[in-house]
Amino acid sequence: MVKVLKSGFFTSIQDNGRFGYRNKGVPISGAMDKKALDKANLLLENPHNAAVLEITMTGPTLLFENRTFICLTGAELSATLNNEPITNYMVHEVKKGDILSYGRLESGFRGYLAVKGGFKTEVVLGSSSQYLPLTPAKCIAEFEELVFEEAANFKPKITALKIDSYFHERELKVRKGPEYGMLSDEQLKLLFSKEFTVAKENNRMAYQLNEFLPKHTHNILTSATLAGTVQVTPAGKLIILMKDGQTTGGYPRVLQLNEEAICVLAQKREGDGVSFKLI
């Protein structure tokens, strides 16, 4: 068990998400940066879908009340264990009474904390991922304690992995969306030749970009969307849906990010630059 002394800016329980309910309007949710989640669970030899903490911008302060092993991945958030710096992408032993805390955000935007065996929270529609209004809580600020099983005899086969640097990338790999053909030559040229910057409106639902394409008058029937769907509003605003994004939308779906690009974008914050590359 771990006691939440401070929750951080926005820290939530996430796994790989819930599938099979989009026809009911339920998004997949799950970790924004799936690569970081997978590597944390890999190092701890956890089940593929073990729940972790997704930490946004500033981290929590946690008091461990059981012995376990932890792994940090994703953004570099100046983590310390009992005031001693610890490294991402390594397995660390934690003893009863140890305190994990976070400091300054150095790079990236979202970090992940995994414990041996995963965090044990309520499973809703096959997933522990927190998402309102479906789950009882939105983030760990609503918990005093989080539960996990004590790990006494774990001997990891791999103790460290190379630190990922993909969240320094600016290029987002995309495929053509269903309404790609609606774009004019001028819009296409701008879409693939200029760099865009992340707007202040960015969260688990969607990322907006500051720069606009030329206006358009195309209308479509409300249609299915996915995490990574790039929509363009009549005003030319680009909106990229993320893991908690709506399951349908009425704006033209001009591009679709692949999973790797979603991970790259999930590590961007306001003002960071991105560009699109068609694959």
Side-chain angles (χ1 to χ4, degrees), residues 50-249:
V52 306
L53 290 186
E54 180 177 270
I55 299 159
T56 306
M57 193 166 66
T58 62
T61 301
L62 305 171
L63 170 63
F64 286 82
E65 298 179 333
N66 301 87
R67 181 170 179 259
T68 190
F69 293 82
I70 64 172
C71 180
L72 284 61
T73 59
E76 176 54 64
L77 288 153
S78 305
T80 61
L81 188 62
N82 300 326
N83 295 319
E84 293 293 328
I86 58 173
T87 306
N88 282 13
Y89 297 91
M90 289 187 66
V91 176
H92 301 278
E93 182 180 357
V94 175
K95 299 181 177 67
K96 180 179 180 180
D98 284 355
I99 294 178
L100 176 69
S101 57
Y102 290 83
R104 180 180 176 182
L105 175 64
E106 297 290 344
S107 62
F109 194 53
R110 289 181 171 85
Y112 293 84
L113 167 64
V115 298
K116 177 60 181 171
F119 290 98
K120 309 301 180 185
T121 59
E122 183 176 357
V123 175
V124 180
L125 299 181
S127 172
S128 296
S129 293
Q130 290 179 292
Y131 167 73
L132 281 183
L134 186 66
T135 56
K138 181 180 181 182
C139 61
I140 70 162
E142 301 176 45
F143 291 95
E144 291 185 0
E145 293 180 323
L146 300 171
V147 177
F148 60 85
E149 295 177 358
E150 183 172 0
N153 301 312
F154 176 55
K155 294 182 179 180
K157 297 182 180 69
I158 303 172
T159 57
L161 292 172
K162 182 180 177 181
I163 296 177
D164 275 323
S165 60
Y166 60 89
F167 46 76
H168 297 294
E169 296 176 9
R170 292 172 175 261
E171 191 174 82
L172 303 177
K173 295 178 180 178
V174 297
R175 291 184 170 85
K176 295 178 182 180
E179 285 75 52
Y180 179 85
M182 290 183 175
L183 294 173
S184 67
D185 290 343
E186 180 186 8
Q187 289 171 323
L188 287 171
K189 182 178 179 181
L190 289 171
L191 191 60
F192 295 112
S193 65
K194 71 182 299 181
E195 184 172 86
F196 298 86
T197 54
V198 173
K200 65 179 179 180
E201 297 85 7
N202 68 85
N203 52 38
R204 285 186 50 85
M205 291 187 67
Y207 269 53
Q208 296 188 32
L209 303 180
N210 284 316
E211 294 76 17
F212 286 69
L213 296 181
K215 296 179 181 180
H216 70 83
T217 57
H218 302 300
N219 293 310
I220 67 169
L221 294 174
T222 297
S223 302
T225 57
L226 298 168
T229 296
V230 182
Q231 298 177 298
V232 58
T233 70
K237 186 80 166 178
L238 291 168
I239 301 171
I240 307 174
L241 301 182
M242 297 299 275
K243 293 300 180 76
D244 285 350
Q246 72 267 19
T247 59
T248 61

Side-chain angles (χ1 to χ4, degrees), residues 16-19 22 26-30 127 129 226-227 243-245 247:
N16 279 314
R18 50 183 57 87
F19 297 88
R22 291 181 61 79
V26 179
I28 292 172
S29 297
S127 172
S129 293
L226 298 168
K243 293 300 180 76
D244 285 350
T247 59

